[in-house]
Amino acid sequence: MPEGEITPKVEEIAFAGQLNASLEELMKTVSQLPAYSMKIENNKLLIARVESRDIHKRPFLFFLFQISNSGVEIIYSIAPDTSIKMRRLFVLKNFLSILSLISDNFKIDEKKFYQYLDSSIDDVLNSLSENYSTLFNRYDALLTEYREIKRLNLELSASNRNLTIQTSQLSEENKQLKAQLEALQTYSDESLMAMIQDWIESHNSSIDVDEFAKTYKVPAPRVEQILNKMVSLGYIELKG
């Protein structure tokens, strides 16, 4: 084995049992399950699943069930960085799936098997930290908080969509009002001449162009242009 290469630990468990059918019949029944490979060898039905392989393509994580007329052998690997107890329970769970299919044709020593299964479950439960309950309560509280935040986020998203629509409507209304205001502030030459005439009459025959422009929001150059037009048409006279 190359130095530094990680190899899994391998465990074996055996349970007595009795086969009430041929290995061929058993294999046909088990073939209903996906992800398993199987073959008959040395009067045993070998049912295997390879979960992962190493860099040399050799099985790394795997479990193997060898069923014969005298019972079953369960062989499985355990990665160095995983829990032995959890791995054992995982393999037993998978064996139970197969056992449920072949229970009519293969009878296991139920007393020993279920005692072992019960012990394995206890090992896992007892290995859990006493803080597990606290951790679960925190998880539950965080889940509740997450759901509340998600609900509020949905409400805020809906409100934001409504505000976006309202903002768009207000923006359109503002454009329309601005256009109306600009239209009102845009005087024809005739209207502006009449306004200038009224201004001159009410201001002692004088006009301050800047003041008039500011009052009626008309550009001063245009006021001067209209004044020149009124002079050329003889509507008003310039005093020397």
Side-chain angles (χ1 to χ4, degrees), residues 32-138:
Q32 300 175 41
L33 294 174
Y36 286 95
S37 60
M38 57 198 76
K39 66 178 179 178
I40 296 173
E41 186 178 276
N42 299 325
N43 294 319
K44 294 179 181 180
L45 173 60
L46 278 56
I47 306 169
R49 174 183 288 180
V50 177
E51 300 160 272
S52 65
R53 298 179 181 272
D54 61 17
I55 58 174
H56 303 294
K57 305 299 182 181
R58 297 174 303 201
F60 185 81
L61 274 183
F62 66 88
F63 49 87
L64 170 67
F65 308 130
Q66 297 183 154
I67 301 174
S68 66
N69 192 49
S70 60
V72 59
E73 296 171 77
I74 301 175
I75 305 169
Y76 58 95
S77 63
I78 307 163
D81 57 348
T82 58
S83 165
I84 295 175
K85 297 172 183 178
M86 291 294 289
R87 177 64 175 167
R88 182 182 301 128
L89 196 59
F90 173 76
V91 173
L92 288 173
K93 171 186 172 295
N94 280 272
F95 178 65
L96 275 171
S97 297
I98 291 177
L99 194 59
S100 67
L101 279 179
I102 63 175
S103 59
D104 291 339
N105 299 321
F106 178 77
K107 301 297 180 183
I108 196 169
D109 182 344
E110 293 184 350
K111 182 177 179 180
K112 183 180 178 183
F113 176 71
Y114 288 121
Q115 283 177 345
Y116 188 86
L117 181 60
D118 183 66
S119 175
S120 298
I121 293 172
D122 278 344
D123 284 346
V124 170
L125 292 177
N126 292 332
S127 68
L128 295 174
S129 167
E130 291 180 2
N131 291 327
Y132 174 77
S133 178
T134 302
L135 183 63
F136 181 80
N137 289 337
R138 288 179 182 173

Side-chain angles (χ1 to χ4, degrees), residues 1-7 55-56 58:
M1 181 192 305
E3 186 178 348
E5 185 174 330
I6 299 174
T7 57
I55 58 174
H56 303 294
R58 297 174 303 201

Side-chain angles (χ1 to χ4, degrees), residues 4 11 15 64 82 92-93 102 105 124 148 179-180 189 213 215 219 222 225:
E11 275 196 357
F15 299 101
L64 170 67
T82 58
L92 288 173
K93 171 186 172 295
I102 63 175
N105 299 321
V124 170
E148 178 64 16
Q180 292 174 6
D189 288 0
T215 300
R222 186 163 182 236
Q225 178 187 8

